[in-house]
Amino acid sequence: MRFTELLHLVWVNIMGNKTRVILTSLGIIVGAATIVMVLAIGKGGEADVADQYKTLNAGAVDITYERASDMTGGGGGAMPGGGAMPGGGTMPDGGAFTMPDFADGGAFSFGSSGSANNNAMDSMIQDAMRQMMNTENITLSESDVEDLELFVPGLSAASISATTEGSVSGGILDEAAEYTVAGVTADYATISNLQVGLGDFITDDDNQNASKVCVIGYSLAQEIFGSAIDAYDSTIYIENTPFVVNGVLMEMGSVASGISPDDSIFIPLSTSKKYVMGNDYSPTITVIADDVSTVDTTISNIQAVLAESYPNASFTITDAGAEREAATESANTLSFLLLAVASIVFVVGGIGIMNVLFVSVKERTQEIGILKAIGSSKRDILMEFLLEANMISLFGGIVGIIVSNLMMPVVEAMGQTVVASMEGVMIAFLFAIATGTLFGFYPAWKAASLVPIDALNEQ
């Protein structure tokens, strides 16, 4: 039997059982739609991570200090990322630090981006060590920044900043609201890749004079004043202290040093300590390593410098590259799990196709007998039922892809980023073909193996 004749026969059988075909293909429709949506959401998640961290330099390293009383009392704080035990290290003339053995009283380092940080036991040990060590009231300062710039090789920039939530009023706000307020120095904009759309960023003179000026994010300017133009040179009140808006940032839509620039207010570091934060002033030092591949070495050197300055303290040290990698891996893991669910749906759909074909074989024994009587081979009958299974599966795959594309605007309207791709469509098609072939083969083989009654009588 010619292939075109087989296709025609399959088409006649499918069109004669439209309702059964639609019901049989429901599992494939759901599976195909799920795969396309999962991959689109996964790529959307990756795009979100890239957008959120686009202002972070991959070589950025953040350094913070937390007292033991704060860790035990509040129960919060950053997860431990690194630190140094008392004992200190030595720095040879070449500029690289060597850490003495812990048994000899030297520094003991916790890696901030290695596999040890992924171990819960190591995190508990680090936390316990900090609680035992961090009893001093230490506040990182610009002198610490200078020490790091001087003694840690391979740094391209260093800055210090502090962040809090402050009560803000003014503009078109009906009442005071809480917003993120960051005390920064002049080089913060360069380190965090911030771009000023209107006016100027914080200057060194602003910090020296503890000026009451601020730079606000794009979204915040619209929320408080209605527009960036209306915000510029206007006055807002932070903790009841008036600040003049000296600049408005361009829209960033990302995260810089743990905050969203679009929704933040930036003021001089000295001003934040004096008028806004007071006793809650707890700054973070951010340094940029010249070479991303040497971040681990840079962290070790930072630990050694801090151990010299503060021998009885342990600091939390994290790097932006590890944070971004962790966020990306989390998004990829979720996509993999959803893809596994979609695969299970395909299996269920394939089982449905198999069951329907088994019923169809029993119902069409007369048709199979006629085909064999007119000379059709086992191969022809096998191909007929296999093609029928594939056409049902492909129909479900096509409908599923169409459904997924109709659902994408709905998902986007719910706030989830989706990025459609041909990869998802191709995978859905391949899954549909594979499902029809795998689950349709056995019923097709059973149909081809049926023996005509006349042949049985002859035996």
Side-chain angles (χ1 to χ4, degrees):
M1 185 181 296
R2 288 181 297 180
F3 186 72
T4 52
E5 292 175 335
L6 282 175
L7 285 177
H8 177 72
L9 188 59
V10 169
W11 180 253
V12 169
N13 285 324
I14 288 177
M15 294 306 293
N17 297 278
K18 297 177 184 176
T19 304
R20 177 186 289 182
V21 169
I22 293 173
L23 294 176
T24 304
S25 61
L26 280 179
I28 307 299
I29 292 172
V30 174
T34 304
I35 281 184
V36 175
M37 287 300 301
V38 162
L39 292 177
I41 292 173
K43 287 187 175 295
E46 292 177 8
D48 281 341
V49 171
D51 185 59
Q52 289 173 2
Y53 287 89
K54 69 182 179 183
T55 59
L56 286 184
N57 191 308
V61 178
D62 289 335
I63 306 156
T64 57
Y65 174 82
E66 190 173 12
R67 289 186 63 192
S69 58
D70 296 331
M71 286 187 282
T72 56
M79 289 297 292
M85 289 288 291
T90 59
M91 183 180 71
D93 294 337
F97 287 94
T98 59
M99 306 297 289
D101 292 336
F102 180 63
D104 296 329
F108 178 81
S109 299
F110 297 115
S112 67
S113 59
S115 59
N117 271 344
N118 296 326
N119 188 288
M121 183 60 69
D122 284 343
S123 296
M124 292 173 61
I125 293 173
Q126 291 179 33
D127 202 10
M129 297 301 285
R130 283 188 176 82
Q131 291 184 26
M132 289 188 294
M133 295 174 61
N134 292 357
T135 57
E136 298 181 32
N137 186 15
I138 295 174
T139 302
L140 294 170
S141 65
E142 293 189 56
S143 63
D144 295 312
V145 176
E146 294 171 359
D147 287 344
L148 293 174
E149 289 180 314
L150 181 62
F151 295 117
V152 176
L155 295 185
S156 61
S159 179
I160 185 169
S161 61
T163 306
T164 189
E165 293 292 319
S167 175
V168 178
S169 59
I172 60 175
L173 294 177
D174 294 329
E175 56 184 16
E178 293 285 322
Y179 294 106
T180 300
V181 180
V184 299
T185 55
D187 50 9
Y188 182 87
T190 302
I191 286 181
S192 299
N193 297 321
L194 302 182
Q195 298 178 353
V196 179
L198 190 63
D200 300 302
F201 198 70
I202 304 300
T203 64
D204 290 329
D205 287 340
D206 292 333
N207 256 309
Q208 290 175 3
N209 301 324
S211 302
K212 298 176 185 178
V213 296
C214 68
V215 176
I216 64 177
Y218 182 82
S219 299
L220 210 56
Q222 292 185 318
E223 186 174 340
I224 297 178
F225 294 99
S227 69
I229 295 177
D230 291 333
Y232 179 66
D233 209 26
S234 298
T235 299
I236 61 173
Y237 293 84
I238 305 175
E239 298 295 339
N240 298 319
T241 301
F243 284 78
V244 177
V245 179
N246 266 11
V248 179
L249 297 178
M250 294 181 64
E251 188 172 11
M252 305 295 295
S254 57
V255 173
S257 298
I259 64 176
S260 172
D262 287 343
D263 303 307
S264 301
I265 302 173
F266 301 90
I267 62 177
L269 184 67
S270 56
T271 310
S272 69
K273 183 178 181 181
K274 184 176 182 180
Y275 295 103
V276 179
M277 301 181 188
N279 294 331
D280 294 330
Y281 178 74
S282 181
T284 297
I285 293 177
T286 302
V287 300
I288 306 295
D290 284 330
D291 188 351
V292 177
S293 63
T294 63
V295 168
D296 288 342
T297 302
T298 299
I299 290 174
S300 297
N301 291 337
I302 290 170
Q303 290 169 341
V305 171
L306 294 174
E308 290 286 343
S309 302
Y310 308 101
N312 298 317
S314 178
F315 296 85
T316 300
I317 304 179
T318 56
D319 67 277
E323 291 178 358
R324 176 169 180 166
E325 184 179 347
T328 303
E329 287 180 358
S330 177
N332 290 339
T333 300
L334 180 60
S335 296
F336 178 79
L337 291 175
L338 293 175
L339 195 60
V341 172
S343 301
I344 294 172
V345 174
F346 262 113
V347 171
V348 173
I351 292 173
I353 290 176
M354 181 185 290
N355 289 335
V356 169
L357 284 180
F358 271 129
V359 173
S360 181
V361 168
K362 291 183 179 180
E363 291 177 347
R364 293 159 59 185
T365 52
Q366 184 177 3
E367 175 190 337
I368 296 170
I370 293 173
L371 289 173
K372 289 197 172 187
I374 62 176
S376 296
S377 64
K378 277 188 175 184
R379 180 178 173 275
D380 292 335
I381 297 172
L382 176 70
M383 286 296 296
E384 177 192 353
F385 280 85
L386 200 55
L387 282 172
E388 190 171 324
N390 269 284
M391 289 187 73
I392 294 173
S393 190
L394 275 175
F395 169 77
I398 293 171
V399 174
I401 291 169
I402 294 172
V403 169
S404 67
N405 281 277
L406 293 175
M407 289 175 59
M408 284 185 189
V410 178
V411 175
E412 285 184 325
M414 295 171 63
Q416 175 65 51
T417 303
V418 293
V419 179
S421 66
M422 281 301 298
E423 180 185 359
V425 174
M426 293 303 298
I427 291 177
F429 265 121
L430 290 174
F431 263 89
I433 293 172
T435 301
T437 302
L438 291 175
F439 289 91
F441 181 81
Y442 185 61
W445 179 79
K446 291 288 288 184
S449 300
L450 289 178
V451 180
I453 297 176
D454 291 342
L456 290 174
N457 292 334
E458 291 177 3
Q459 293 177 358

